[in-house]
Amino acid sequence: MDRKSVAKILKEIGTILELKGDNPFKTRAYYNGARTIESLTENLNNLVESGEIANLRGIGQALSDKISTLIKTGSLPYYDELKSTIPSGLLDMIKIPGLGAKKVKIVYDKLGISSVGELEYACRENRLRDLEGFGEKSQQNILSGIELRKKYNERFLYPVALNESEKIKNYLIQNEKIIQLEVAGSLRRKLETVKDIDVVCSCLEEDRKEIMDFFDSYPEKLSTINKGETKSTITLESGINCDLRLVEEDSFAFLLHHSTGSKEHNTELRGYAKELGFKMNEYGLFSDEQNIACTTEEEIFEKLNMDYIPCELREGMGEIELAQKKQLPELYDGNPFYGLFHIHTTYSDGANTIEEIVEACQDLNLQYVGICDHSKAAFYANGLNEERVKQQHEEINKINASLTNFKVLKGIEVDVLTDGSLDFDDSTLSEFDFVVASVHSQFNLSEDAMTERIIKAISNPFVTMLGHPTGRLLLGREPYKVNMEKVIEVAGKLGKVIEINSSPYRLDLDWRLGKLANEHGVKTALNPDAHSIEGLTDYKYGIGIARKGRFNKESVLNTYNAKKIESYFKEKHPH
Ligand code: DGT
Ligand code: CA
Ligand code: ZN
């Protein structure tokens, strides 16, 4: 069991105790313990092994015993028993925005509500409105929280789905009767969230049954939704569904194209094929009932007299017309990739020191890293004040003096204040090689006010890049209201970069705006916004999004080598 799972269980114990109305001190001890474990930098196993766990701040005897049991045995009888004393639905209810343990306890005690479904119904019946401590507005908030959750529950973050798809792919390829295998659907298009995994395979007709049996015996299957001869669906333990479709070899390329989608792309392409006198479906391409053989997707596009359309572009957003005119943009393929920007360290809310980050970046064969900690307004993230900026710069100077063939760039993620001014004055800002401006507070402004705020921020001559432009958290928080078209226009005029925040929770700039950004000549940077060494490689998710956004090599800052990026920043610096 790892650190994160232990922290999660401690937190859940705290929640259950709170729901049961247990002693608040005891409850708080579990919450504090969870936080301590979550932010540990030492190895938890070692701390348990040596007994040092009991000496950690906020971990008393009772907690250290429980953590040791969890680490040593992988389970905790106290937790299992405690869990069985409350309806499991209460823990689901807590996850709804606007409802904490206190409120859940009230609706449970007063109305006997113990599941999200019952809660939704009670809200619709106005039963929360008249409950003490609630009201019309809080009832409405809870209802929208439930609706949002429903929407989010239907989809999964890209890396979660990718990981599941790789496991099932590795399982399926063990079956020697399968001839070709690809993961299609939104995953293949690198969409930021994914509903289900679509696997397509080719095989001999007589092997179908055996392959479907094999698929249905997947060890991580939770249940079977449907089992047929050419199409089956199972639910995996992680909650995501997986479809498997089987065809014969000569239809494989067509089924792969069909299942990759998107639906909009397919419909449009079929319409275009029809104009050329073809009929196209998931089994083939036909001209006067004559089958036109294609063994690859490349051949299909060739037969339709158009450029090959990369999967990331198949969203039905004008790519077919461009491919017909042979005007598809040259997409960035992830090479070259010389360095990273927007990395947090222990100076603010990151888990690793600058030196550790530098070492990890060198291991990744990079030439430079742009350190970007938070500024002072982000007090919850231990943001830097002017004094600590100075200290950090001294440290960076020392590190740079000791390095050959690697460069640490001085960056900052400066908070954009409510009125669009920045958290540092220009003289402090001038000390940095580059400045990322981000909104971290006051998300509820009107669209006009937010747009003006962001435009004012990027208009500061010291600002190089706009960070996570809409503040969205995929499947977690809606973007704030902002007119991105206007922001992009201004960024283009002023030569400002808009990051593609490559954390899989954000992927913001939204790729749908990439086309517009390109039209305005806006460059991007694939910023992992890493808070630890592990997060550095999140930039890979940004590559897929940059491709979807039609960015070419020249518009991606990470393709600049150390020398070029330094002169780029110098040139942009107002001095
Ligand atoms: P999602 O929602 O993340 O699963 O997105 P997709 O694109 O993977 O959608 P899914 O799994 O419902 O369907 C897989 C592919 O099958 C889809 O990308 C295109 C194709 N497809 C599904 N429904 C239709 C349809 O009604 N017409 C056409 N032409 N293609 C369809
Ligand atoms: Ca899908
Ligand atoms: Zn940020």
Side-chain angles (χ1 to χ4, degrees), residues 502-514:
S502 305
S503 156
Y505 293 95
R506 293 187 183 269
L507 300 174
D508 181 18
L509 183 71
D510 191 318
W511 59 265
R512 293 163 190 83
L513 290 163

Side-chain angles (χ1 to χ4, degrees), residues 296-365:
T296 62
E297 286 183 322
E298 280 81 357
E299 279 179 56
I300 301 177
F301 286 112
E302 207 180 291
K303 292 277 168 14
L304 293 172
N305 191 27
M306 64 202 315
D307 275 349
Y308 172 79
I309 303 179
C311 304
E312 294 92 336
L313 290 188
R314 300 184 199 165
E315 297 289 352
M317 289 174 67
E319 72 277 7
I320 290 170
E321 198 187 326
L322 288 174
Q324 283 166 40
K325 296 189 192 145
K326 321 243 159 151
Q327 285 173 359
L328 274 184
E330 188 89 25
L331 301 186
Y332 174 51
D333 65 359
N335 287 301
F337 196 95
Y338 288 122
L340 292 171
F341 316 94
H342 199 164
I343 309 295
H344 296 271
T345 72
T346 45
Y347 271 87
S348 65
D349 57 352
N352 294 100
T353 62
I354 302 178
E355 278 186 320
E356 288 165 346
I357 293 290
V358 167
E359 203 175 303
C361 288
Q362 286 176 313
D363 289 345
L364 291 170
N365 284 321

Side-chain angles (χ1 to χ4, degrees), residues 144-210:
S144 11
I146 294 174
E147 266 155 20
L148 217 55
R149 214 186 68 134
K150 262 198 204 157
K151 183 174 116 192
Y152 291 161
N153 270 357
E154 287 166 6
R155 304 191 71 81
F156 295 79
L157 292 179
Y158 175 80
V160 175
L162 181 68
N163 183 38
E164 290 298 315
S165 76
E166 271 164 8
K167 282 195 289 186
I168 197 148
K169 192 166 136 186
N170 288 334
Y171 170 75
L172 285 174
I173 54 174
Q174 299 173 70
N175 189 307
E176 284 168 2
K177 300 284 166 61
I178 292 176
I179 302 169
Q180 286 155 289
L181 181 152
E182 287 289 344
V183 175
S186 48
L187 252 176
R188 188 160 180 249
R189 303 199 311 278
K190 306 215 169 74
L191 201 61
E192 63 274 31
T193 65
V194 169
K195 180 194 69 191
D196 63 359
I197 302 166
D198 303 281
V199 184
V200 295
C201 292
S202 64
C203 66
L204 300 178
E205 197 178 334
E206 67 246 38
D207 293 332
R208 284 178 188 163
K209 190 175 175 315
E210 187 190 322

Side-chain angles (χ1 to χ4, degrees), residues 38-303:
E38 212 160 41
S39 55
L40 270 186
T41 45
E42 301 96 321
N43 181 303
L44 184 56
N45 285 306
N46 296 346
L47 291 175
V48 167
E49 193 85 30
S50 67
E52 275 173 81
I53 182 80
N55 305 332
L56 289 183
R57 196 162 51 116
I59 308 272
Q61 193 58 50
L63 254 78
S64 91
D65 286 349
K66 294 194 172 81
I67 296 167
S68 304
T69 308
L70 271 171
I71 290 290
K72 286 178 186 154
T73 68
S75 68
L76 179 63
Y78 169 76
Y79 167 63
D80 298 334
E81 274 161 37
L82 192 67
K83 228 171 133 172
S84 70
T85 61
I86 58 154
S88 61
L90 296 187
L91 292 171
D92 285 340
M93 283 160 66
I94 296 217
K95 292 177 198 144
I96 293 164
L99 264 185
K102 277 195 194 73
K103 285 197 163 163
V104 169
K105 183 167 162 41
I106 297 174
V107 294
Y108 179 54
D109 289 346
K110 295 269 157 71
L111 301 175
I113 290 171
S114 62
S115 72
V116 176
E118 289 171 317
L119 182 67
E120 179 176 1
Y121 189 68
C123 286
R124 300 214 184 276
E125 300 266 287
N126 280 322
R127 285 194 284 138
L128 262 67
R129 190 186 56 194
D130 307 323
L131 206 58
E132 204 184 312
F134 291 76
E136 180 77 45
K137 195 156 172 231
S138 98
Q139 176 173 287
Q140 192 47 51
N141 284 342
I142 291 168
L143 209 48
S144 11
I146 294 174
E147 266 155 20
L148 217 55
R149 214 186 68 134
K150 262 198 204 157
K151 183 174 116 192
Y152 291 161
N153 270 357
E154 287 166 6
R155 304 191 71 81
F156 295 79
L157 292 179
Y158 175 80
V160 175
L162 181 68
N163 183 38
E164 290 298 315
S165 76
E166 271 164 8
K167 282 195 289 186
I168 197 148
K169 192 166 136 186
N170 288 334
Y171 170 75
L172 285 174
I173 54 174
Q174 299 173 70
N175 189 307
E176 284 168 2
K177 300 284 166 61
I178 292 176
I179 302 169
Q180 286 155 289
L181 181 152
E182 287 289 344
V183 175
S186 48
L187 252 176
R188 188 160 180 249
R189 303 199 311 278
K190 306 215 169 74
L191 201 61
E192 63 274 31
T193 65
V194 169
K195 180 194 69 191
D196 63 359
I197 302 166
D198 303 281
V199 184
V200 295
C201 292
S202 64
C203 66
L204 300 178
E205 197 178 334
E206 67 246 38
D207 293 332
R208 284 178 188 163
K209 190 175 175 315
E210 187 190 322
I211 293 171
M212 283 308 187
D213 285 342
F214 186 71
F215 177 60
D216 199 50
S217 312
Y218 182 49
E220 289 186 35
K221 180 191 88 171
L222 186 70
S223 59
T224 303
I225 293 195
N226 160 58
K227 191 172 170 214
E229 196 186 313
T230 58
K231 182 170 182 225
S232 298
T233 306
I234 60 174
T235 302
L236 309 183
E237 277 166 7
S238 57
I240 194 167
N241 282 353
C242 180
D243 272 1
L244 174 64
R245 288 192 65 176
L246 303 178
V247 275
E248 282 162 57
E249 264 189 288
D250 51 8
S251 289
F252 183 75
F254 296 100
L255 179 65
L256 176 60
H257 176 271
H258 166 83
S259 304
T260 299
S262 64
K263 195 172 150 185
E264 292 74 15
H265 168 91
N266 288 354
T267 309
E268 200 183 322
L269 191 65
R270 284 173 192 191
Y272 171 65
K274 206 170 163 188
E275 276 173 35
L276 297 182
F278 295 111
K279 183 177 158 234
M280 184 182 173
N281 61 28
E282 61 217 84
Y283 302 106
L285 185 64
F286 309 91
S287 168
D288 299 330
E289 298 307 309
Q290 280 283 94
N291 189 357
I292 302 173
C294 294
T295 54
T296 62
E297 286 183 322
E298 280 81 357
E299 279 179 56
I300 301 177
F301 286 112
E302 207 180 291
K303 292 277 168 14

